[in-house]
Amino acid sequence: MNIILMGPPGAGKGTQAAKLVSEYGLAHISTGDIFRKALKEQTKYGVIAKYFIQFGYLVPDDYTIGMVREYLREHEFPNGFILDGFPRTIIQARELESIGKEFGFKIDAVLNLDVDLDILATRLSGRRTCRNCGATYHIEFNPPKTQDVCDKCGGELYQRADESEEAVKVRLETYNKQTRPLVDYYTMTGDITNINGDQSMEDVFSDIKARLEAM
Ligand code: AP5
Ligand code: ZN
Protein backbone atom coordinates (compact mmCIF):
# COMPACT_ATOMS: atom_id res chain seq x y z
CA MET A 1 0.00 0.00 0.00
CA ASN A 2 1.43 3.38 -1.08
CA ILE A 3 -0.05 6.54 0.39
CA ILE A 4 0.34 10.26 -0.17
CA LEU A 5 -0.26 12.25 3.02
CA MET A 6 -0.99 15.90 2.32
CA GLY A 7 -1.90 18.87 4.44
CA PRO A 8 -0.68 22.33 5.40
CA PRO A 9 2.38 22.83 7.61
CA GLY A 10 1.64 21.56 11.11
CA ALA A 11 -1.49 19.65 10.06
CA GLY A 12 -0.16 16.48 11.69
CA LYS A 13 1.34 14.64 8.71
CA GLY A 14 4.43 13.51 10.62
CA THR A 15 2.36 12.56 13.66
CA GLN A 16 -0.04 10.41 11.62
CA ALA A 17 2.77 8.94 9.49
CA ALA A 18 4.44 7.62 12.65
CA LYS A 19 1.19 5.84 13.61
CA LEU A 20 0.85 4.40 10.09
CA VAL A 21 4.40 3.07 10.27
CA SER A 22 3.69 1.15 13.46
CA GLU A 23 0.24 -0.07 12.37
CA TYR A 24 1.03 -1.19 8.81
CA GLY A 25 4.84 -1.40 8.61
CA LEU A 26 4.94 1.21 5.85
CA ALA A 27 8.12 3.16 5.16
CA HIS A 28 7.90 6.87 6.02
CA ILE A 29 9.31 9.11 3.30
CA SER A 30 9.27 12.72 4.49
CA THR A 31 10.94 15.12 2.07
CA GLY A 32 11.29 17.64 4.92
CA ASP A 33 13.19 15.05 7.02
CA ILE A 34 15.35 14.03 4.07
CA PHE A 35 16.23 17.67 3.39
CA ARG A 36 17.04 18.30 7.08
CA LYS A 37 19.30 15.24 7.16
CA ALA A 38 21.02 16.38 3.95
CA LEU A 39 21.46 19.80 5.50
CA LYS A 40 23.11 18.33 8.59
CA GLU A 41 25.39 16.20 6.43
CA GLN A 42 26.11 19.09 4.04
CA THR A 43 25.34 17.06 0.93
CA LYS A 44 24.53 18.80 -2.36
CA TYR A 45 20.76 18.72 -1.71
CA GLY A 46 21.31 20.06 1.83
CA VAL A 47 23.34 23.03 0.70
CA ILE A 48 20.71 23.98 -1.88
CA ALA A 49 17.76 23.38 0.45
CA LYS A 50 19.10 25.37 3.42
CA TYR A 51 18.18 28.80 2.12
CA PHE A 52 14.67 27.84 1.03
CA ILE A 53 13.81 25.89 4.17
CA GLN A 54 14.95 28.47 6.69
CA PHE A 55 12.77 31.17 5.12
CA GLY A 56 9.79 28.88 4.54
CA TYR A 57 9.89 28.65 0.73
CA LEU A 58 9.62 25.44 -1.25
CA VAL A 59 12.87 23.98 -2.53
CA PRO A 60 12.76 24.26 -6.38
CA ASP A 61 10.96 21.39 -8.10
CA ASP A 62 13.90 20.01 -10.08
CA TYR A 63 16.05 19.49 -6.95
CA THR A 64 13.18 18.05 -4.93
CA ILE A 65 12.13 15.68 -7.69
CA GLY A 66 15.75 14.62 -8.28
CA MET A 67 16.15 13.85 -4.59
CA VAL A 68 12.92 11.86 -4.36
CA ARG A 69 13.74 9.90 -7.49
CA GLU A 70 17.16 9.02 -6.03
CA TYR A 71 15.59 8.03 -2.70
CA LEU A 72 12.99 5.78 -4.34
CA ARG A 73 15.64 4.15 -6.49
CA GLU A 74 17.98 3.45 -3.58
CA HIS A 75 15.48 2.01 -1.08
CA GLU A 76 13.14 -0.95 -0.97
CA PHE A 77 9.59 -0.80 0.35
CA PRO A 78 8.34 -4.33 0.98
CA ASN A 79 5.13 -3.11 2.66
CA GLY A 80 4.76 0.11 0.71
CA PHE A 81 5.36 3.72 1.71
CA ILE A 82 3.84 6.96 2.95
CA LEU A 83 4.92 10.08 1.09
CA ASP A 84 4.76 12.91 3.63
CA GLY A 85 5.22 16.37 2.16
CA PHE A 86 5.65 15.21 -1.43
CA PRO A 87 4.21 16.06 -3.91
CA ARG A 88 3.66 19.70 -2.99
CA THR A 89 3.20 21.20 -6.47
CA ILE A 90 1.35 20.05 -9.57
CA ILE A 91 4.70 19.61 -11.36
CA GLN A 92 5.88 17.27 -8.58
CA ALA A 93 2.62 15.29 -8.80
CA ARG A 94 3.01 14.84 -12.56
CA GLU A 95 6.62 13.74 -12.14
CA LEU A 96 5.61 11.27 -9.43
CA GLU A 97 3.21 9.68 -11.91
CA SER A 98 6.02 9.14 -14.39
CA ILE A 99 8.44 7.89 -11.71
CA GLY A 100 5.73 5.40 -10.66
CA LYS A 101 5.42 4.14 -14.24
CA GLU A 102 9.18 3.87 -14.56
CA PHE A 103 9.73 2.09 -11.21
CA GLY A 104 6.52 0.05 -11.30
CA PHE A 105 4.50 1.35 -8.36
CA LYS A 106 1.15 3.08 -8.01
CA ILE A 107 -0.39 5.32 -5.39
CA ASP A 108 -3.32 3.65 -3.62
CA ALA A 109 -4.64 6.58 -1.61
CA VAL A 110 -4.24 10.34 -1.35
CA LEU A 111 -5.16 11.56 2.13
CA ASN A 112 -5.52 15.26 2.84
CA LEU A 113 -5.45 16.44 6.44
CA ASP A 114 -7.79 19.37 6.61
CA VAL A 115 -7.03 21.83 9.41
CA ASP A 116 -8.08 25.42 9.90
CA LEU A 117 -5.15 27.73 9.16
CA ASP A 118 -5.63 29.57 12.51
CA ILE A 119 -4.80 26.42 14.46
CA LEU A 120 -1.61 25.69 12.57
CA ALA A 121 0.50 28.50 14.02
CA THR A 122 -0.24 27.24 17.57
CA ARG A 123 0.64 23.69 16.58
CA LEU A 124 3.90 24.74 14.95
CA SER A 125 5.08 27.10 17.68
CA GLY A 126 4.50 24.42 20.35
CA ARG A 127 6.17 21.58 18.51
CA ARG A 128 9.38 20.10 19.87
CA THR A 129 11.45 17.54 17.93
CA CYS A 130 13.95 15.02 19.26
CA ARG A 131 17.45 15.75 17.99
CA ASN A 132 18.32 12.07 18.22
CA CYS A 133 15.34 10.02 16.94
CA GLY A 134 13.11 12.67 15.32
CA ALA A 135 10.05 11.96 17.51
CA THR A 136 7.77 15.00 17.78
CA TYR A 137 5.90 16.42 20.76
CA HIS A 138 3.75 19.43 21.50
CA ILE A 139 4.26 21.41 24.70
CA GLU A 140 0.49 21.57 25.23
CA PHE A 141 -1.19 18.82 23.17
CA ASN A 142 1.37 16.02 23.52
CA PRO A 143 3.97 16.98 26.12
CA PRO A 144 6.98 14.80 26.93
CA LYS A 145 7.08 13.35 30.45
CA THR A 146 10.14 15.50 31.29
CA GLN A 147 10.45 18.94 29.75
CA ASP A 148 12.80 19.03 26.72
CA VAL A 149 13.65 15.31 26.99
CA CYS A 150 12.44 12.66 24.52
CA ASP A 151 10.29 9.92 26.16
CA LYS A 152 11.47 7.36 23.61
CA CYS A 153 15.26 7.78 23.66
CA GLY A 154 16.20 10.44 26.24
CA GLY A 155 17.43 12.76 23.44
CA GLU A 156 17.27 16.54 23.65
CA LEU A 157 14.15 18.23 22.24
CA TYR A 158 14.61 21.31 20.07
CA GLN A 159 12.59 23.77 17.99
CA ARG A 160 13.10 23.65 14.23
CA ALA A 161 14.76 26.63 12.52
CA ASP A 162 11.65 27.19 10.35
CA GLU A 163 9.36 27.58 13.37
CA SER A 164 10.00 31.30 13.86
CA GLU A 165 6.89 33.47 13.51
CA GLU A 166 8.17 34.94 10.23
CA ALA A 167 9.03 31.56 8.65
CA VAL A 168 5.69 30.04 9.71
CA LYS A 169 3.86 32.94 8.03
CA VAL A 170 5.78 32.37 4.79
CA ARG A 171 5.20 28.59 4.97
CA LEU A 172 1.45 29.09 5.29
CA GLU A 173 1.41 31.57 2.38
CA THR A 174 3.54 29.21 0.30
CA TYR A 175 1.12 26.39 1.06
CA ASN A 176 -1.85 28.49 -0.08
CA LYS A 177 -0.18 29.56 -3.29
CA GLN A 178 1.63 26.42 -4.38
CA THR A 179 0.17 23.38 -2.65
CA ARG A 180 -3.52 24.11 -2.26
CA PRO A 181 -3.96 23.96 -6.08
CA LEU A 182 -2.64 20.39 -5.85
CA VAL A 183 -5.61 19.46 -3.66
CA ASP A 184 -7.88 20.72 -6.48
CA TYR A 185 -5.77 18.81 -9.00
CA TYR A 186 -6.25 15.51 -7.12
CA THR A 187 -9.91 16.29 -6.61
CA MET A 188 -10.32 16.65 -10.37
CA THR A 189 -8.07 13.87 -11.56
CA GLY A 190 -8.84 11.11 -9.15
CA ASP A 191 -9.31 10.13 -5.73
CA ILE A 192 -8.57 12.22 -2.67
CA THR A 193 -9.95 11.74 0.81
CA ASN A 194 -10.27 14.74 3.08
CA ILE A 195 -9.68 13.84 6.70
CA ASN A 196 -10.71 16.23 9.46
CA GLY A 197 -7.35 17.00 11.06
CA ASP A 198 -8.90 19.23 13.69
CA GLN A 199 -9.64 16.41 16.13
CA SER A 200 -7.55 14.53 18.66
CA MET A 201 -4.55 12.67 17.19
CA GLU A 202 -6.29 9.34 17.94
CA ASP A 203 -9.53 10.36 16.20
CA VAL A 204 -7.65 11.57 13.14
CA PHE A 205 -5.87 8.22 13.02
CA SER A 206 -9.05 6.20 13.33
CA ASP A 207 -10.56 8.15 10.38
CA ILE A 208 -7.44 7.37 8.35
CA LYS A 209 -7.62 3.69 9.26
CA ALA A 210 -11.30 3.53 8.36
CA ARG A 211 -10.47 4.96 4.93
CA LEU A 212 -7.58 2.55 4.32
CA GLU A 213 -9.45 -0.49 5.53
CA ALA A 214 -12.37 0.29 3.21
CA MET A 215 -10.03 -0.05 0.18
P1 AP5 B 1 8.18 19.58 6.15
O1 AP5 B 1 9.12 19.03 7.12
O2 AP5 B 1 7.40 18.67 5.27
O3 AP5 B 1 7.23 20.55 6.95
P2 AP5 B 1 5.66 20.87 6.81
O4 AP5 B 1 4.90 20.37 5.68
O5 AP5 B 1 5.65 22.34 6.97
O6 AP5 B 1 5.07 20.03 7.91
P3 AP5 B 1 5.50 19.90 9.35
O7 AP5 B 1 6.55 18.84 9.50
O8 AP5 B 1 5.85 21.27 9.91
O9 AP5 B 1 4.13 19.51 10.03
P4 AP5 B 1 3.32 18.14 10.06
O10 AP5 B 1 2.12 18.26 9.19
O11 AP5 B 1 4.22 16.97 9.87
O12 AP5 B 1 2.81 18.22 11.55
P5 AP5 B 1 3.28 17.43 12.86
O13 AP5 B 1 2.77 16.05 12.83
O14 AP5 B 1 4.73 17.65 13.17
O15 AP5 B 1 8.92 20.61 5.18
C1 AP5 B 1 9.83 21.58 5.66
C2 AP5 B 1 10.39 22.37 4.50
O16 AP5 B 1 11.13 21.50 3.61
C3 AP5 B 1 9.37 23.07 3.59
O17 AP5 B 1 8.98 24.32 4.13
C4 AP5 B 1 10.19 23.20 2.30
O18 AP5 B 1 11.11 24.28 2.39
C5 AP5 B 1 10.98 21.90 2.25
N1 AP5 B 1 10.24 20.84 1.52
C6 AP5 B 1 9.76 19.66 2.04
N2 AP5 B 1 9.12 18.95 1.09
C7 AP5 B 1 9.20 19.68 -0.07
C8 AP5 B 1 8.69 19.50 -1.38
N3 AP5 B 1 7.98 18.40 -1.71
N4 AP5 B 1 8.94 20.46 -2.30
C9 AP5 B 1 9.67 21.55 -1.99
N5 AP5 B 1 10.14 21.82 -0.75
C10 AP5 B 1 9.92 20.89 0.20
O19 AP5 B 1 2.39 18.25 13.94
C11 AP5 B 1 2.67 19.59 14.27
C12 AP5 B 1 2.50 19.80 15.79
O20 AP5 B 1 1.13 19.65 16.14
C13 AP5 B 1 3.27 18.78 16.65
O21 AP5 B 1 3.76 19.43 17.80
C14 AP5 B 1 2.21 17.73 17.02
O22 AP5 B 1 2.49 17.12 18.27
C15 AP5 B 1 0.94 18.57 17.06
N6 AP5 B 1 -0.24 17.82 16.60
C16 AP5 B 1 -0.32 16.95 15.55
N7 AP5 B 1 -1.57 16.46 15.41
C17 AP5 B 1 -2.32 17.07 16.39
C18 AP5 B 1 -3.71 17.01 16.75
N8 AP5 B 1 -4.58 16.20 16.09
N9 AP5 B 1 -4.11 17.76 17.80
C19 AP5 B 1 -3.23 18.58 18.47
N10 AP5 B 1 -1.92 18.67 18.17
C20 AP5 B 1 -1.47 17.95 17.13
ZN1 ZN C 1 14.11 10.61 20.74
Side-chain angles (χ1 to χ4, degrees):
M1 177 163 64
N2 300 321
I3 300 169
I4 292 175
L5 197 52
M6 297 182 66
K13 300 180 295 294
T15 302
Q16 297 302 322
K19 292 180 185 293
L20 286 164
V21 168
S22 50
E23 183 84 13
Y24 299 108
L26 302 175
H28 180 197
I29 308 174
S30 155
T31 39
D33 287 350
I34 303 173
F35 277 132
R36 281 184 289 276
K37 183 162 177 272
L39 210 147
K40 214 162 125 189
E41 293 168 357
Q42 303 257 301
T43 68
K44 70 169 180 190
Y45 290 120
V47 173
I48 295 160
K50 184 171 186 231
Y51 165 84
F52 297 97
I53 292 184
Q54 71 185 354
F55 295 112
Y57 301 112
L58 292 187
V59 179
D61 280 336
D62 48 348
Y63 293 111
T64 305
I65 292 161
M67 186 185 73
V68 169
R69 171 186 282 278
E70 209 170 285
Y71 191 91
L72 292 171
R73 193 178 44 229
E74 287 171 358
H75 294 77
E76 290 191 12
F77 309 100
N79 299 321
F81 56 73
I82 309 152
L83 278 172
D84 160 1
F86 183 91
R88 253 177 156 103
T89 64
I90 292 176
I91 292 175
Q92 291 179 13
R94 301 292 299 269
E95 281 296 324
L96 179 65
E97 285 157 25
S98 40
I99 296 173
K101 282 192 191 122
E102 188 185 328
F103 292 3
F105 66 77
K106 68 176 181 59
I107 300 298
D108 301 293
V110 180
L111 306 175
N112 180 43
L113 296 180
D114 214 355
V115 181
D116 212 72
L117 291 192
D118 300 344
I119 296 173
L120 299 172
T122 317
R123 285 203 185 168
L124 289 170
S125 59
R127 176 171 52 195
R128 297 291 181 275
T129 306
C130 174
R131 223 179 258 293
N132 181 44
C133 75
T136 54
Y137 299 86
H138 191 281
I139 50 173
E140 189 183 335
F141 308 130
N142 179 25
K145 290 195 184 82
T146 310
Q147 196 184 340
D148 296 333
V149 178
C150 176
D151 291 350
K152 298 196 173 91
C153 76
E156 181 204 358
L157 303 185
Y158 79 108
Q159 237 184 326
R160 268 170 39 183
D162 62 354
E163 281 165 344
S164 68
E165 206 180 306
E166 207 28 57
V168 166
K169 194 164 157 259
V170 176
R171 282 163 67 197
L172 294 174
E173 284 166 6
T174 303
Y175 172 80
N176 271 331
K177 255 192 245 151
Q178 291 179 268
T179 308
R180 207 181 270 284
L182 184 58
V183 175
D184 300 334
Y185 173 80
Y186 279 128
T187 309
M188 279 181 327
T189 57
D191 197 18
I192 184 167
T193 303
N194 289 306
I195 305 275
N196 175 10
D198 187 8
Q199 324 177 62
S200 73
M201 298 173 197
E202 291 68 32
D203 288 348
V204 175
F205 189 57
S206 66
D207 284 1
I208 290 178
K209 261 173 59 176
R211 164 70 182 89
L212 298 179
E213 280 161 22
M215 281 198 318

PDB file of all heavy atoms in Angstrom, residues 1 4 11 22 29-30 43 93 102 157-158 171 180 190-191:
ATOM      1  N   MET A   1       0.843  -1.200   0.000  1.00  0.00           N
ATOM      2  CA  MET A   1       0.000   0.000   0.000  1.00  0.00           C
ATOM      3  C   MET A   1       0.881   1.254   0.000  1.00  0.00           C
ATOM      4  O   MET A   1       1.762   1.390   0.843  1.00  0.00           O
ATOM      5  CB  MET A   1      -0.855  -0.041   1.281  1.00  0.00           C
ATOM      6  CG  MET A   1      -1.736   1.135   1.495  1.00  0.00           C
ATOM      7  SD  MET A   1      -3.040   0.797   2.701  1.00  0.00           S
ATOM      8  CE  MET A   1      -2.119   0.497   4.204  1.00  0.00           C
ATOM      9  N   ILE A   4      -0.134   8.874  -0.238  1.00  0.00           N
ATOM     10  CA  ILE A   4       0.337  10.261  -0.168  1.00  0.00           C
ATOM     11  C   ILE A   4      -0.412  10.918   0.995  1.00  0.00           C
ATOM     12  O   ILE A   4      -1.644  10.854   1.058  1.00  0.00           O
ATOM     13  CB  ILE A   4       0.021  11.017  -1.480  1.00  0.00           C
ATOM     14  CG1 ILE A   4       0.868  10.470  -2.634  1.00  0.00           C
ATOM     15  CG2 ILE A   4       0.256  12.513  -1.311  1.00  0.00           C
ATOM     16  CD1 ILE A   4       0.525  11.081  -3.987  1.00  0.00           C
ATOM     17  N   ALA A  11      -0.185  20.317  10.055  1.00  0.00           N
ATOM     18  CA  ALA A  11      -1.492  19.649  10.058  1.00  0.00           C
ATOM     19  C   ALA A  11      -1.464  18.320  10.808  1.00  0.00           C
ATOM     20  O   ALA A  11      -2.502  17.783  11.182  1.00  0.00           O
ATOM     21  CB  ALA A  11      -1.952  19.411   8.627  1.00  0.00           C
ATOM     22  N   SER A  22       3.778   2.263  12.508  1.00  0.00           N
ATOM     23  CA  SER A  22       3.693   1.146  13.463  1.00  0.00           C
ATOM     24  C   SER A  22       2.484   0.253  13.204  1.00  0.00           C
ATOM     25  O   SER A  22       2.543  -0.939  13.467  1.00  0.00           O
ATOM     26  CB  SER A  22       3.777   1.616  14.929  1.00  0.00           C
ATOM     27  OG  SER A  22       2.903   2.640  15.163  1.00  0.00           O
ATOM     28  N   ILE A  29       8.419   8.286   4.130  1.00  0.00           N
ATOM     29  CA  ILE A  29       9.307   9.110   3.303  1.00  0.00           C
ATOM     30  C   ILE A  29       8.881  10.564   3.452  1.00  0.00           C
ATOM     31  O   ILE A  29       7.884  10.983   2.853  1.00  0.00           O
ATOM     32  CB  ILE A  29       9.237   8.696   1.812  1.00  0.00           C
ATOM     33  CG1 ILE A  29       9.467   7.178   1.665  1.00  0.00           C
ATOM     34  CG2 ILE A  29      10.247   9.488   0.991  1.00  0.00           C
ATOM     35  CD1 ILE A  29       9.260   6.663   0.241  1.00  0.00           C
ATOM     36  N   SER A  30       9.587  11.306   4.278  1.00  0.00           N
ATOM     37  CA  SER A  30       9.272  12.720   4.487  1.00  0.00           C
ATOM     38  C   SER A  30      10.347  13.545   3.793  1.00  0.00           C
ATOM     39  O   SER A  30      11.516  13.486   4.159  1.00  0.00           O
ATOM     40  CB  SER A  30       9.253  13.031   5.988  1.00  0.00           C
ATOM     41  OG  SER A  30       9.530  14.397   6.209  1.00  0.00           O
ATOM     42  N   THR A  43      25.283  17.631   2.279  1.00  0.00           N
ATOM     43  CA  THR A  43      25.338  17.061   0.931  1.00  0.00           C
ATOM     44  C   THR A  43      24.841  18.110  -0.064  1.00  0.00           C
ATOM     45  O   THR A  43      24.350  19.170   0.341  1.00  0.00           O
ATOM     46  CB  THR A  43      24.439  15.818   0.815  1.00  0.00           C
ATOM     47  OG1 THR A  43      23.089  16.265   0.928  1.00  0.00           O
ATOM     48  CG2 THR A  43      24.726  14.799   1.908  1.00  0.00           C
ATOM     49  N   ALA A  93       3.606  16.372  -8.688  1.00  0.00           N
ATOM     50  CA  ALA A  93       2.621  15.286  -8.803  1.00  0.00           C
ATOM     51  C   ALA A  93       2.718  14.602 -10.160  1.00  0.00           C
ATOM     52  O   ALA A  93       2.671  13.371 -10.265  1.00  0.00           O
ATOM     53  CB  ALA A  93       1.215  15.834  -8.583  1.00  0.00           C
ATOM     54  N   GLU A 102       7.804   4.338 -14.313  1.00  0.00           N
ATOM     55  CA  GLU A 102       9.175   3.866 -14.563  1.00  0.00           C
ATOM     56  C   GLU A 102       9.599   2.796 -13.549  1.00  0.00           C
ATOM     57  O   GLU A 102      10.183   1.781 -13.906  1.00  0.00           O
ATOM     58  CB  GLU A 102      10.101   5.083 -14.474  1.00  0.00           C
ATOM     59  CG  GLU A 102      11.519   4.847 -14.876  1.00  0.00           C
ATOM     60  CD  GLU A 102      12.356   6.111 -14.616  1.00  0.00           C
ATOM     61  OE1 GLU A 102      11.837   7.244 -14.720  1.00  0.00           O
ATOM     62  OE2 GLU A 102      13.550   5.941 -14.277  1.00  0.00           O
ATOM     63  N   LEU A 157      15.183  17.716  23.135  1.00  0.00           N
ATOM     64  CA  LEU A 157      14.148  18.235  22.238  1.00  0.00           C
ATOM     65  C   LEU A 157      14.513  19.664  21.828  1.00  0.00           C
ATOM     66  O   LEU A 157      15.003  20.433  22.635  1.00  0.00           O
ATOM     67  CB  LEU A 157      12.781  18.229  22.937  1.00  0.00           C
ATOM     68  CG  LEU A 157      12.306  16.873  23.468  1.00  0.00           C
ATOM     69  CD1 LEU A 157      10.885  17.002  24.033  1.00  0.00           C
ATOM     70  CD2 LEU A 157      12.331  15.792  22.383  1.00  0.00           C
ATOM     71  N   TYR A 158      14.280  19.963  20.556  1.00  0.00           N
ATOM     72  CA  TYR A 158      14.610  21.314  20.071  1.00  0.00           C
ATOM     73  C   TYR A 158      13.486  21.843  19.193  1.00  0.00           C
ATOM     74  O   TYR A 158      12.571  21.109  18.817  1.00  0.00           O
ATOM     75  CB  TYR A 158      15.944  21.288  19.306  1.00  0.00           C
ATOM     76  CG  TYR A 158      15.820  20.758  17.881  1.00  0.00           C
ATOM     77  CD1 TYR A 158      15.923  21.618  16.791  1.00  0.00           C
ATOM     78  CD2 TYR A 158      15.582  19.406  17.614  1.00  0.00           C
ATOM     79  CE1 TYR A 158      15.800  21.137  15.484  1.00  0.00           C
ATOM     80  CE2 TYR A 158      15.461  18.925  16.319  1.00  0.00           C
ATOM     81  CZ  TYR A 158      15.573  19.807  15.262  1.00  0.00           C
ATOM     82  OH  TYR A 158      15.434  19.344  13.972  1.00  0.00           O
ATOM     83  N   ARG A 171       5.556  29.971   5.308  1.00  0.00           N
ATOM     84  CA  ARG A 171       5.196  28.586   4.971  1.00  0.00           C
ATOM     85  C   ARG A 171       3.700  28.460   4.701  1.00  0.00           C
ATOM     86  O   ARG A 171       3.286  27.741   3.781  1.00  0.00           O
ATOM     87  CB  ARG A 171       5.612  27.642   6.104  1.00  0.00           C
ATOM     88  CG  ARG A 171       7.107  27.348   6.093  1.00  0.00           C
ATOM     89  CD  ARG A 171       7.576  26.791   7.396  1.00  0.00           C
ATOM     90  NE  ARG A 171       7.040  25.469   7.665  1.00  0.00           N
ATOM     91  CZ  ARG A 171       7.047  24.902   8.876  1.00  0.00           C
ATOM     92  NH1 ARG A 171       7.559  25.546   9.911  1.00  0.00           N
ATOM     93  NH2 ARG A 171       6.549  23.701   9.037  1.00  0.00           N
ATOM     94  N   ARG A 180      -2.066  24.257  -2.257  1.00  0.00           N
ATOM     95  CA  ARG A 180      -3.520  24.109  -2.261  1.00  0.00           C
ATOM     96  C   ARG A 180      -4.056  23.750  -3.658  1.00  0.00           C
ATOM     97  O   ARG A 180      -4.957  22.920  -3.783  1.00  0.00           O
ATOM     98  CB  ARG A 180      -4.182  25.375  -1.714  1.00  0.00           C
ATOM     99  CG  ARG A 180      -5.529  25.119  -1.097  1.00  0.00           C
ATOM    100  CD  ARG A 180      -6.147  26.406  -0.610  1.00  0.00           C
ATOM    101  NE  ARG A 180      -5.812  26.722   0.764  1.00  0.00           N
ATOM    102  CZ  ARG A 180      -6.351  26.120   1.812  1.00  0.00           C
ATOM    103  NH1 ARG A 180      -7.212  25.141   1.656  1.00  0.00           N
ATOM    104  NH2 ARG A 180      -6.034  26.485   3.022  1.00  0.00           N
ATOM    105  N   GLY A 190      -8.703  12.451  -9.719  1.00  0.00           N
ATOM    106  CA  GLY A 190      -8.841  11.113  -9.152  1.00  0.00           C
ATOM    107  C   GLY A 190      -9.410  11.194  -7.781  1.00  0.00           C
ATOM    108  O   GLY A 190     -10.336  11.930  -7.503  1.00  0.00           O
ATOM    109  N   ASP A 191      -8.717  10.467  -6.958  1.00  0.00           N
ATOM    110  CA  ASP A 191      -9.311  10.132  -5.726  1.00  0.00           C
ATOM    111  C   ASP A 191      -8.550  10.802  -4.594  1.00  0.00           C
ATOM    112  O   ASP A 191      -7.363  10.586  -4.432  1.00  0.00           O
ATOM    113  CB  ASP A 191      -9.084   8.614  -5.666  1.00  0.00           C
ATOM    114  CG  ASP A 191      -9.968   7.974  -4.671  1.00  0.00           C
ATOM    115  OD1 ASP A 191     -10.949   8.589  -4.285  1.00  0.00           O
ATOM    116  OD2 ASP A 191      -9.624   6.846  -4.286  1.00  0.00           O
TER     117      ASP A 191
END
